[in-house]
Amino acid sequence: MTEPQWTLVIHGGAGKITPDKMKPGQEDAIRAALHRALDAGAAILERGGAALDAVEAAVRVLEDDPNFNAGRGAALSYDGVAELDAAIMDGRTRDAGAVARVTTTRNPVSLARAVMDNGRHVFLAGIGADAFSQSSGVEQVDNDWFITPERRANLIELKADNADAYDVDMKYGTVGAVARDRHGHVAAATSTGGVTGKRWGRIGDTPVIGAGTYADDRAGAVSATGSGEFFIRENVGHEICARVRLGGVDIASAARAVMADVKDMGGSGGVIVVSPQGDASWSFNTPGMYRARVSSISARVIGIFGE
Ligand code: ASP
């Protein structure tokens, strides 16, 4: 196989995504956003930049787009607040940064990056993470900036029906990116609002290093979306990389096997993966998943519904 020089894969969440559930114009808006996110990451990779910078840039685009459950457009907590989770990991050094329940950072993935670059800690949550954010120079916004009418309606519906978050969300909408750069390094980043109506300080898999986000130059990079409680228990990102590193399987097979395990446990969702050689893949056990990929030697592929 000819080795691609660089590869970028992104996702915008998985779930009950079927043509009949799309609102007019929604599919076009999603495709356009996925293209913009690929543009942002690919520009960095094309000029020889780091996978780490590319995944951050791609995720920032999707965080700013209200069609996805991350940054602007995030799912709301039971109290009607956007509490955002994000993580980033560098496969070269296995350095990582993560934040949970932040409420005023416009781009939580860049706050996760600031935690990583600061180097003292890996994972900050809640009030302390907001305070670190204010002192770290990343852009601040009011919590209202994140809140869209659709997400308010989801919360009202959840309370009225006494429903489960997974009923009203129908799709997870978390965003993520994995990349392999021209130097052979991999990185992963993921960002989410979590699930509608979350309470009691609930944190999902997205910012948990090894669950929703993981990168290791010896195995590959993983970003997940789905029912976070299951992804935490399966330790999806680390499990996929461990099967590659210790079990000698290729990353696409490892991703499929681990997603099958998640399904057996009762969980649903998907992952995007890239190997240190630049092989890209995705695996999901939901009807659809917003996903896209491109490499230095292959054209763009954009997918929304099941294959
Ligand atoms: N995995 C996320 C969480 O459980 C939700 C999502 O993927 O949309 O917080």
Side-chain angles (χ1 to χ4, degrees):
M1 191 200 102
T2 316
E3 190 173 287
Q5 291 179 298
W6 59 260
T7 305
L8 175 66
V9 194
I10 60 174
H11 72 79
K16 290 179 197 147
I17 301 167
T18 50
D20 56 301
K21 294 221 166 63
M22 287 280 164
K23 293 195 208 87
Q26 193 182 3
E27 189 179 333
D28 288 346
I30 301 252
R31 283 184 191 276
L34 293 173
H35 274 295
R36 281 199 309 279
L38 285 183
D39 289 343
I44 292 168
L45 294 165
E46 182 57 31
R47 61 171 184 260
L52 186 68
D53 294 329
V55 294
E56 181 186 355
V59 166
R60 284 175 62 98
V61 170
L62 299 174
E63 284 178 337
D64 279 346
D65 192 301
N67 286 294
F68 305 95
N69 170 17
R72 189 136 187 265
L76 302 180
S77 73
Y78 199 83
D79 298 326
V81 177
E83 296 178 359
L84 311 170
D85 302 340
I88 192 163
M89 186 162 184
D90 187 351
R92 192 168 59 94
T93 52
R94 274 173 282 146
D95 284 340
V99 293
R101 306 188 64 218
V102 297
T103 59
T104 60
T105 303
R106 173 169 170 172
N107 292 108
V109 70
S110 293
L111 182 59
R113 175 75 187 262
V115 171
M116 184 184 118
D117 290 345
N118 178 271
R120 186 187 298 237
H121 303 299
V122 169
F123 196 177
L124 303 181
I127 296 168
D130 278 341
F132 175 79
S133 179
Q134 282 149 24
S135 67
S136 73
V138 302
E139 186 176 347
Q140 304 293 303
V141 290
D142 287 339
N143 199 258
D144 282 349
W145 190 84
F146 300 112
I147 299 176
T148 61
E150 193 202 356
R151 290 303 182 180
R152 274 198 205 284
N154 286 159
L155 183 61
I156 290 166
E157 187 192 331
L158 174 130
K159 289 185 174 177
D161 298 353
N162 217 354
D164 190 73
Y166 297 122
D167 297 329
V168 298
D169 284 346
M170 289 199 311
K171 58 179 165 35
Y172 299 114
T174 288
V175 307
V178 295
R180 186 263 196 191
D181 63 30
R182 288 190 189 276
H183 312 285
H185 301 306
V186 298
T190 318
S191 181
T192 191
V195 293
T196 301
K198 61 187 184 180
R199 293 172 95 171
W200 307 304
R202 185 265 188 193
I203 298 168
D205 60 311
T206 299
V208 177
I209 299 300
T213 306
Y214 199 68
D216 179 347
D217 270 6
R218 301 170 300 176
V222 182
S223 172
T225 175
S227 43
E229 281 68 12
F230 295 91
F231 284 67
I232 292 174
R233 288 159 56 208
E234 174 74 3
N235 222 329
V236 164
H238 188 270
E239 178 70 18
I240 290 172
C241 289
R243 289 183 190 211
V244 171
R245 190 160 52 87
L246 306 172
V249 293
D250 64 90
I251 198 160
S253 307
R256 272 197 305 276
V258 171
M259 285 311 299
D261 275 0
V262 168
K263 191 174 181 189
D264 287 347
M265 291 166 77
S268 65
V271 289
I272 53 170
V273 297
V274 68
S275 77
Q277 292 74 38
D279 303 306
S281 187
W282 39 57
S283 175
F284 53 98
N285 60 26
T286 46
M289 177 169 171
Y290 301 139
R291 59 202 186 277
R293 67 185 188 218
V294 64
S295 83
S296 47
I297 58 159
S298 60
R300 291 180 179 206
V301 178
I302 303 234
I304 292 189
F305 310 113
E307 320 271 8

